[in-house]
Amino acid sequence: MRWALVKVCLAVTAMVVIAFAVPLGLVIREMASDRAFSDAERQAAMIAPTLSITTDREELTRAVLSTEPGDRGRLAVHVPAPEGVADGTEGGPLDIGTRRATPKDVATVRKAGRASITEVTGGFALLQPTALGTGDIAVVEVFVPEGEVSHGVATAWLMLAGVGVALIVGSVAVADRLGVRMVQPAQRLAGAAQDLGEGRLGTRVPEEGPTELRSAAVAFNSMADQVVQLLANERELAADLSHRLRTPLTVLRLNAASLGEGPAAEQTRAAVQQLEHEVDTIIRTAREQRPQTQGGQPEAGCDASEVIRERMGFWSALAEDEGREVRLAGVDRTVRIPVARPELAAALDALLGNVFRHTPEGTAFSVDVHHSGDAVIVLVSDAGPGIDDPKAALARGGSGRDTAGGSVGSTGLGLDIVRRVAESTGGDLRIGRSVLGGTEVRIWIGLYGSRPERGRRGHGRRVGRRTGWQRRKEPRNATGSGARH
């Protein structure tokens, strides 16, 4: 493409140069010729006053020699003989100066009465008729050498040729640079498309070059981002769906623990444990293969109060079986948040599932919802042993790697699900010590995409007042890491 553009530009420029240079060269030659003959006419007119006064040979000779062309032997005067005077006698025709034109040409000009240019040896002769005082017609002959007729033409043509060559070279150089500017972005775009097709999802194209190619690069990068995001969403969906199975599995495990002893009970517990292991494997595999991209925005909002009441209704039954005291506050009015209903439900199930998995039976917990105008805060608190290192717990949630002290079977995805839900709205997730003495997980959900001001809101800040039954609980010192997933 680059060389094709150069060839086209070369051909077009050459045609333009030829179309203008050739006629211009001809015009220059005609101008040089006109200038030379115009000078000859002016020189011939210098002798006309003398001819109108006298036809004396000596006087005419002195007049001819006094002029520049006459002194250089380029001026001649042809005076005809008076009527009745024969040639060769006194008073016959006069020829003063060097004759170059033939008598026939001179006679033709004298008879026609108008100037003429005839070609002679070494150049041209201008024959100019001039009226005499006697009424006869004399002919003044001015010799114009060939060099004066074409004087400056060769130099002008050489300059035209140089300008033409410079234009052609310049146009080829510009076409080459233009071709490089167009071809390189196109080649990068083609190479990036091939790399993306081969599975290198991090391939992107610099958005540079002509406007059309920049638009193509922007569209390609947007498409690549969407492909990566779709793959990430698919893998996240697989991981999330698998993680949601942990909620009923938790119920099954707890119910299986109450079956007592016997082969059937042991087989049931083993099956539940195997099922939990398979679900954990699916979650880890999906998280290890997902591209590192930002989570997408929620597709639709929901009523947080309604979703929390629904999920607490589910978990309250299990809490009653284990003798756990439950408190729910702040869900008596509609609270719209920009989070899809399934996403919020999955986040709540992940946190409440952690309470049941990592705290002893009989441990109380609570869920509080607070509306601050530009955000909604959901607090999940428990009276369990707490978490010694909240930052490490969040790191496990982000990376999916368990650490010393973490519970067996933890995938590290539970807190990651909650954090992605919060961050998708411009909020965040924080872990601290609850007023119940255990862990407090705070979900900050932005209503308008605004992020919390970290200077005003401290890490693990307690929100809300302690109720009577909370004040009766004495904070317990943590005895273990209480790892959350």
Side-chain angles (χ1 to χ4, degrees), residues 183-358:
V183 170
Q184 286 184 348
Q187 290 176 341
R188 285 195 293 266
L189 184 60
Q194 183 175 1
D195 291 342
L196 186 64
E198 292 175 355
R200 290 186 280 274
L201 302 181
T203 302
R204 296 297 182 271
V205 182
E207 297 173 2
E208 57 188 17
T211 304
E212 294 78 6
L213 290 177
R214 284 202 304 270
S215 300
V218 171
F220 175 85
N221 292 338
S222 177
M223 178 195 67
D225 291 339
Q226 290 181 3
V227 169
V228 173
Q229 188 61 57
L230 288 175
L231 290 175
N233 291 342
E234 289 293 331
R235 288 164 178 157
E236 289 292 347
L237 179 61
D240 290 353
L241 292 177
S242 299
H243 191 274
R244 291 176 188 179
L245 294 176
R246 297 179 68 89
T247 299
L249 283 176
T250 301
V251 178
L252 288 176
R253 179 174 57 81
L254 295 174
N255 291 336
S258 63
L259 292 178
E261 301 297 332
E266 292 297 331
Q267 291 176 359
T268 300
R269 285 190 284 269
V272 171
Q273 184 178 3
Q274 179 64 26
L275 185 57
E276 283 186 323
H277 175 73
E278 296 298 332
V279 170
D280 292 346
T281 302
I282 295 174
I283 294 173
R284 289 194 181 93
T285 302
R287 294 189 72 245
E288 289 172 358
Q289 295 178 352
R290 68 181 181 183
Q292 298 300 319
T293 57
Q294 296 180 350
Q297 294 294 330
E299 296 179 357
C302 69
D303 180 5
S305 298
E306 180 184 357
V307 176
I308 293 174
R309 287 195 303 267
E310 176 186 335
R311 299 316 301 160
M312 285 297 291
F314 171 82
W315 289 99
S316 294
L318 185 59
E320 184 178 355
D321 293 340
E322 294 190 355
R324 297 176 182 269
E325 189 173 0
V326 180
R327 188 182 71 88
L328 178 62
V331 293
D332 53 347
R333 65 187 183 98
T334 301
V335 181
R336 299 293 302 181
I337 60 173
V339 177
R341 183 186 186 91
E343 299 297 328
L344 179 59
L348 288 172
D349 286 342
L351 295 179
L352 296 176
N354 281 341
V355 174
F356 281 86
R357 288 173 60 88
H358 302 291

Side-chain angles (χ1 to χ4, degrees), residues 422-447:
E423 291 180 349
S424 68
T425 66
D428 64 5
L429 173 68
R430 300 182 186 181
I431 299 177
R433 177 69 65 178
S434 74
V435 294
L436 301 181
T439 302
E440 177 186 87
V441 179
R442 192 201 69 175
I443 312 173
W444 184 283
I445 300 175
L447 298 182

Side-chain angles (χ1 to χ4, degrees), residues 78-79 95 99-112 118 127 137-141:
H78 307 289
V79 180
D95 289 317
R99 173 196 289 271
R100 288 180 176 80
T102 62
K104 181 179 179 182
D105 292 333
V106 173
T108 301
V109 170
R110 180 180 293 119
K111 182 178 180 180
T118 181
L127 302 176
I137 301 296
V139 178
V140 180
E141 175 186 341

